[in-house]
């Protein structure tokens, strides 16, 4: 996964996770609020219905009060017919006191016989003492018991006249004992269900609007972050292209410099020697003087030596045949014999075969480091070491360290890279070579205290290279 994608995900994931947590919290709070609203609405509704029922019954009793108050006197005079007439008049008045489609009064005697039921006249005269609702509860017995206890509220199930279906009902009943009556009325409670369902629908709509708002914020945040990431990506891409072009120019210049160097070496060294040899051989051929041939042979040997030196500089054969330690030893001896600077090599640890690419990288780093020492350091001695780390507890081979230490003038690395482009190119080349194999370059230098360069390649990088680039 690319670094830019990781950074983008690192920015997006916390935002999305935060918005999801907010959405979950909002939904939970909405549900808790809805439950509290349910309880409050239901409590307020039931309180209002209870007061309403009590007022209806009190109104009915007050309407019947003149007839009911005459009953004791009539009974004392023995006018039973007048009492029955007052009862019939009372039942007629009650049947006319209906309110609403399903609002009515009912009258039973205290033994459970129906005396008046304006919405279900077919029940009049029937004994419903043993009537039970679908839950098995004795409906009429509960009503009469509550009436005898001084009146009050009763919850029960009753068939709703307007729909013909069983529905929960809240009744309020009182007893009129001198007439042996139970008078009451009731309200069906399915209206509260409709109210609560409407409340649920409104709450769900509010939750949906809140969720859409959070989703819109999430989309806007993701789009904003993506746009910023795209702008940053484009900016980084342009800068990378600029750096790539600059690096390509440096590579081209380095190649041209190397070609110019080889051209000078061939022209000033090998070419001059070969021309001198050719002239010696021609002179010997024309004059017949055989004494010139040894000098010509010596010149040919010098030319061969120079060609080998150039070939070794391009890529030493020892690197492919005997490995990195032998190639570094030959490189140190070449610098020492060339009179540039004395170089000593130390190999620590147990040498082992390394991937071909790693051999090339470390050799080029050593070659570049020694070239910089010869050109810039003014050192009297250079110590070069190649260290193989011991295997880890699992038996896996350890890393490799190449160190080049000189006692030269030293320098400030930052100032040197700004002031000397060639030195800067050399250091960048070493860093880039090591970065290509997941290694690192550690440079320590200061004016007057020499310079130490360490090329470090960890064990994990070597194992990866061993899979992709086997040892030569």
């Amino acid at each position: 996964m690319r670094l830019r994608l990781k950074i983008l995900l690192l920015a997006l994931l916390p935002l999305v996770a935060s918005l999801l947590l907010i959405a979950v919290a909002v939904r939970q709070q909405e549900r808790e609020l809805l439950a509290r609203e349910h309880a409050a609405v239901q409590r307020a509704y039931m309180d209002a219905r209870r007061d309403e029922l009590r007022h209806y019954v009190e109104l009915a009793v007050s309407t019947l009060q003149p007839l009911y108050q005459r009953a004791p006197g009539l009974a004392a005079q023995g006018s039973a017919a007048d009492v029955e007439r007052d009862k019939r008049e009372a039942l007629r008045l009650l049947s006319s006191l209906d309110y609403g489609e399903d609002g009515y009064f009912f009258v039973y005697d205290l033994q459970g016989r129906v005396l008046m039921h304006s919405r279900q006249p077919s029940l009049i005269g029937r004994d419903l003492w043993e009537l039970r609702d679908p839950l098995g509860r004795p409906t009429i017995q509960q009503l009469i018991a509550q009436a005898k206890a001084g009146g009050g509220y009763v919850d029960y199930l009753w068939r709703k006249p307007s729909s013909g279906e069983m529905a929960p009902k809240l009744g309020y009943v009182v007893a009129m004992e001198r007439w042996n009556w139970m008078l009451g009325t009731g309200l069906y409670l399915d209206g509260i269900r409709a109210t609560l369902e409407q409340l649920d629908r409104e709450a769900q709509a509010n939750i949906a609007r809140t969720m859409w708002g959070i989703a819109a914020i999430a989309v806007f945040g993701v789009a904003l972050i993506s746009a910023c990431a795209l702008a940053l990506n484009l900016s980084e891409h342009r800068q990378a292209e600029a750096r790539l072009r600059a690096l390509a120019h440096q590579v081209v210049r380095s190649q041209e410099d190397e070609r110019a160097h080889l051209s000078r070496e061939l022209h000033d060294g090998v070419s001059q020697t070969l021309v001198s040899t050719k002239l010696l051989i021609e002179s010997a051929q024309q004059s017949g003087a055989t004494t010139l041939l040894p000098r010509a042979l010596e010149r040919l040997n010098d030319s061969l030596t120079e060609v080998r030196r150039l070939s070794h500089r391009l890529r030493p054969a020892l690197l492919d045949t005997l490995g990195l330690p032998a190639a570094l030893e030959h490189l140190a001896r070449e610098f020492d014999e060339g009179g540039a600077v004395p170089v000593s090599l130390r190999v620590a640890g147990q040498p082992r075969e390394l991937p071909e690419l790693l051999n090339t990288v470390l050799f080029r780093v050593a070659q570049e480091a020694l070239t910089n020492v010869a050109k810039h350091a003014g050192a009297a001695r250079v110590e070069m070491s190649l260290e193989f780390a011991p295997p880890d507890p699992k038996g896996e081979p350890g890393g490799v360290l190449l160190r080049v230490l000189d006692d030269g003038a030293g320098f400030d690395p930052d100032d040197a890279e700004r002031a000397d482009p060639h030195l800067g190119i050399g250091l960048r080349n070493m860093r880039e070579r090591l970065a290509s194999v997941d290694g690192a370059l550690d440079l320590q230098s200061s004016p007057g205290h020499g310079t130490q360069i360490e090329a470090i390649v960890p064990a994990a990088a070597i194992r990866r290279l061993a899979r992709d680039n086997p040892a030569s």
Side-chain angles (χ1 to χ4, degrees):
M1 186 179 293
R2 294 183 178 179
L3 179 60
R4 291 192 183 93
L5 182 57
K6 291 181 179 179
I7 294 174
L8 181 61
L9 291 178
L10 188 62
L12 289 179
L13 290 180
L15 173 64
V16 174
S18 300
L19 291 174
L20 286 177
L21 291 176
I22 292 173
V24 171
V26 168
R27 190 172 184 83
Q28 183 65 26
Q29 290 296 326
E30 290 274 6
R31 287 178 176 176
E32 293 178 0
L33 179 61
L34 180 60
R36 290 195 295 269
E37 287 182 353
H38 271 204
V41 169
Q42 189 168 12
R43 184 169 55 251
Y45 180 87
M46 295 303 297
D47 290 344
R49 296 289 82 82
R50 287 188 178 93
D51 291 342
E52 184 179 356
L53 287 177
R54 183 169 51 80
H55 292 155
Y56 283 152
V57 172
E58 289 175 354
L59 176 62
V61 170
S62 64
T63 302
L64 301 180
Q65 197 66 26
L67 297 174
Y68 189 68
Q69 290 295 333
R70 289 194 307 174
L74 293 174
Q77 298 172 7
S79 301
D82 293 335
V83 173
E84 292 299 324
R85 186 178 64 252
D86 290 340
K87 289 183 178 180
R88 288 193 296 273
E89 178 65 17
L91 293 176
R92 186 188 67 79
L93 290 174
L94 288 175
S95 64
S96 65
L97 293 179
D98 291 352
Y99 52 93
E101 184 179 13
D102 292 309
Y104 55 88
F105 290 92
F106 53 82
V107 179
Y108 292 72
D109 65 20
L110 297 180
Q111 288 72 43
R113 187 168 61 91
V114 182
L115 300 177
M116 190 274 292
H117 204 295
S118 60
R119 288 292 187 273
Q120 294 173 307
S122 60
L123 297 178
I124 296 175
R126 292 180 58 183
D127 185 358
L128 302 182
W129 180 260
E130 298 296 334
L131 178 68
R132 294 180 180 272
D133 64 14
L135 300 179
R137 297 176 299 182
T139 304
I140 305 303
Q141 294 179 30
Q142 286 181 330
L143 292 171
I144 292 175
Q146 187 64 43
K148 287 181 177 180
Y153 302 97
V154 179
D155 290 314
Y156 61 100
L157 295 175
W158 196 262
R159 191 172 303 279
K160 192 174 182 179
S162 60
S163 64
E165 298 178 353
M166 297 296 291
K169 186 175 183 180
L170 176 65
Y172 185 83
V173 294
V174 294
M176 302 181 73
E177 294 181 355
R178 287 200 300 272
W179 283 358
N180 194 35
W181 280 9
M182 177 194 69
L183 168 64
T185 187
L187 291 173
Y188 293 93
L189 301 179
D190 50 355
I192 184 62
R193 294 181 178 177
T195 302
L196 294 178
E197 288 175 358
Q198 178 65 24
L199 183 62
D200 284 340
R201 287 192 294 271
E202 293 177 357
Q204 292 297 330
N206 289 334
I207 292 174
R209 285 194 295 270
T210 303
M211 293 298 112
W212 280 113
I214 293 175
I217 294 173
V219 170
F220 175 76
V222 170
L224 182 61
I225 293 175
S226 300
C228 293
L230 178 61
L232 179 62
N233 191 20
L234 291 176
S235 175
E236 289 293 328
H237 184 65
R238 286 193 294 267
Q239 293 179 9
E241 284 186 346
R243 288 194 294 268
L244 185 60
R245 285 194 297 269
L247 181 60
H249 293 162
Q250 291 176 1
V251 170
V252 171
R253 286 197 300 270
S254 298
Q255 291 175 344
E256 293 301 323
D257 291 343
E258 189 65 22
R259 289 191 182 100
H261 173 74
L262 290 176
S263 176
R264 288 193 300 270
E265 292 286 342
L266 291 173
H267 181 271
D268 298 339
V270 177
S271 178
Q272 296 294 335
T273 304
L274 290 176
V275 169
S276 174
T277 304
K278 176 178 177 295
L279 292 176
L280 287 173
I281 293 175
E282 288 177 350
S283 298
Q285 185 180 11
Q286 291 175 1
S287 63
T290 58
T291 56
L292 297 176
L293 293 179
R295 293 178 59 189
L297 182 60
E298 182 181 356
R299 298 288 176 84
L300 283 176
N301 288 332
D302 292 341
S303 297
L304 289 174
T305 301
E306 184 67 18
V307 170
R308 290 194 190 97
R309 186 182 67 80
L310 292 175
S311 174
H312 179 77
R313 179 175 177 84
L314 292 175
R315 181 174 179 84
L318 292 175
L319 192 61
D320 297 323
T321 57
L322 299 181
L324 182 61
L328 292 179
E329 183 178 358
H330 186 276
L331 179 64
R333 187 167 59 250
E334 183 183 61
F335 268 79
D336 195 358
E337 293 174 354
V341 58
V343 180
S344 62
L345 174 67
R346 180 178 65 89
V347 179
Q350 181 62 41
R352 64 179 185 274
E353 289 187 344
L354 297 174
E356 180 180 356
L357 179 60
L358 182 56
N359 282 337
T360 303
V361 167
L362 292 176
F363 179 81
R364 293 303 182 195
V365 168
Q367 192 177 47
E368 186 70 37
L370 292 178
T371 301
N372 286 340
V373 170
K375 290 182 177 180
H376 307 288
R381 183 155 186 84
V382 178
E383 295 179 2
M384 185 164 56
S385 62
L386 180 65
E387 301 177 9
F388 293 88
D392 60 17
K394 296 181 180 180
E396 295 289 342
V400 176
L401 170 66
L402 172 66
R403 180 184 294 109
V404 179
L405 174 64
D406 69 74
D407 59 355
F411 62 96
D412 186 322
D414 296 332
D415 292 342
E417 289 188 31
R418 288 192 296 266
D420 191 337
H422 298 289
L423 180 60
I425 291 175
L427 292 175
R428 281 195 295 272
N429 285 342
M430 286 190 282
R431 288 195 179 97
E432 290 167 3
R433 286 181 186 276
L434 286 167
S436 67
V437 294
D438 293 337
L441 181 73
D442 181 40
L443 173 63
Q444 299 179 13
S445 182
S446 60
H449 295 85
T451 302
Q452 176 176 284
I453 291 178
E454 290 185 348
I456 307 167
V457 183
I462 297 177
R463 288 194 293 270
R464 181 184 64 78
L465 288 170
R467 292 193 302 269
D468 301 337
N469 302 276
S472 57

